[in-house]
Amino acid sequence: MSGDAGTVILDVDRLEKHYGGVHAVDGVSFTVERGSITGLIGPNGAGKSTALAVIGGYVSPTAGRIHFDGADITGYPMHARARVGLVRTFQMARVFGNLTTIENLLVAVPRQRGESAAGILAGKWFWRGEERQLVERARALLDTFGMSTKADDPARTLSGGQKRAVEIMRALMMKPKLLLLDEPMAGLSPSLSRQLEDMLIRLAGDGLSLLLVEHELDTVDRLCGKVVVMAQGRVLSEGRMAELRLSREVQDAYVIG
Ligand SMILES: Nc1ncnc2c1ncn2[C@@H]1O[C@H](COP(=O)(O)OP(=O)(O)OP(=O)(O)O)[C@@H](O)[C@H]1O
Ligand SMILES: [Mg+2]
């Protein structure tokens, strides 16, 4: 755990995202503390994925500010956010099926020498310092996730859970300080979900901060300290899951949703 634990890494201030008349995110404010796993929950259509997409720089906000690690990053494009340590994964796992598992990790990192993904596909590797370090980092991650034996298999042969792991490892290749996860357990078997939960707890223990959108409230209960509840584009409530379960307002939002 870093010495900065307990301080704020992400500060979302009155964030709004409108699509025409739809206020998908409608004045959302909350913070994420360093080294914490913060939950973002709420019924379908509450605006969770949109909020995550705006924080990750995938879509631009209609209004509001985002501070990350002490800087106002509201205007930063996605790659600039990744460079300062803010990385998101997507609600659906995306892998390049024809690339091997390790290649899927290596293509995640933007090349400084302008080496293209096409070059990698063609097997044109340049085994210089930068590449070697990336390969070492990828191998270490595969080892951590128990997937070393899959390194050279085409990603299309991986199971759903393994593809999900690839998606997360790919994000970790960028050495994030804060990882935004949109329903990482979706579609996984209960036992794979538990393995992924354990992995996320270990990552947080190593100082990584996580903002996790998750439907399964028992998972949220096990993983998250603070939980932010959204409904209809707004923050309805925040607190620990055990307290939120007792809240009439939160119960109603889930029934209505
Ligand atoms: N690109 C878009 N264009 C128009 N409306 C959108 C767009 N993206 C999201 N919305 C709308 O914004 C609202 C919030 O959607 P969002 O996907 O953020 O919800 P969510 O909380 O992630 O839901 P779920 O739990 O189903 O994933 C919904 O009403 C949705 O239809
Ligand atoms: Mg969503």
Side-chain angles (χ1 to χ4, degrees):
M1 182 77 77
S2 84
D4 292 330
T7 61
V8 168
I9 187 161
L10 178 75
D11 187 346
V12 176
D13 184 24
R14 289 166 287 176
L15 203 63
E16 296 184 28
K17 178 66 189 179
H18 304 169
Y19 291 107
V22 178
H23 292 199
V25 175
D26 196 15
V28 163
S29 302
F30 64 87
T31 58
V32 173
E33 290 189 1
R34 268 172 223 278
S36 76
I37 307 181
T38 298
L40 184 57
I41 67 169
N44 290 322
K48 306 177 299 293
S49 292
T50 305
L52 223 59
V54 175
I55 295 165
Y58 194 65
V59 296
S60 53
T62 308
R65 309 302 309 174
I66 304 163
H67 285 85
F68 175 72
D69 207 16
D72 185 336
I73 60 152
T74 314
Y76 284 30
M78 197 159 58
H79 63 86
R81 287 175 206 227
R83 209 177 305 129
V84 295
L86 176 58
V87 175
R88 82 178 278 228
T89 65
F90 290 87
Q91 189 161 350
M92 301 297 294
R94 301 173 180 188
V95 299
F96 301 108
N98 290 329
L99 297 188
T100 65
T101 303
I102 194 164
E103 284 168 343
N104 265 275
L105 303 196
L106 295 171
V107 294
V109 183
R111 294 299 190 277
Q112 262 129 46
R113 293 195 187 88
E115 188 181 329
S116 67
I120 294 165
L121 274 164
K124 290 176 189 155
W125 284 103
F126 297 94
W127 295 95
R128 290 186 292 227
E130 187 193 350
E131 298 300 336
R132 197 170 302 126
Q133 275 179 21
L134 288 177
V135 171
E136 279 168 15
R137 204 191 310 161
R139 291 211 182 278
L141 277 172
L142 287 167
D143 187 40
T144 306
F145 277 76
M147 283 183 58
S148 291
T149 58
K150 305 286 180 190
D152 300 317
D153 291 358
R156 65 173 179 278
T157 64
L158 300 176
S159 71
Q162 289 166 338
K163 284 179 183 158
R164 192 58 58 95
V166 167
E167 164 108 2
I168 292 169
M169 285 188 281
R170 219 164 36 196
L172 293 173
M173 283 295 288
M174 290 188 263
K175 294 190 175 170
K177 294 175 186 163
L178 171 63
L179 189 57
L180 310 174
L181 295 164
D182 198 347
E183 303 196 30
M185 320 289 176
L188 299 189
S189 69
S191 76
L192 276 175
S193 288
R194 289 305 279 258
Q195 283 177 34
L196 186 52
E197 282 182 26
D198 291 345
M199 188 58 66
L200 297 181
I201 289 167
R202 274 166 62 185
L203 291 168
D206 289 340
L208 180 67
S209 311
L210 295 158
L211 177 58
L212 173 72
V213 171
E214 179 55 48
H215 260 122
E216 181 51 59
L217 297 185
D218 289 341
T219 300
V220 175
D221 214 350
R222 284 189 291 268
L223 288 184
C224 301
K226 182 170 80 178
V227 179
V228 177
V229 188
M230 279 184 73
Q232 298 178 350
R234 295 171 185 243
V235 174
L236 192 66
S237 189
E238 65 172 66
R240 301 190 69 87
M241 197 61 235
E243 303 154 11
L244 294 171
R245 277 185 195 281
L246 303 174
S247 156
R248 167 66 60 185
E249 206 179 15
V250 172
Q251 288 170 8
D252 287 351
Y254 267 86
V255 173
I256 292 162

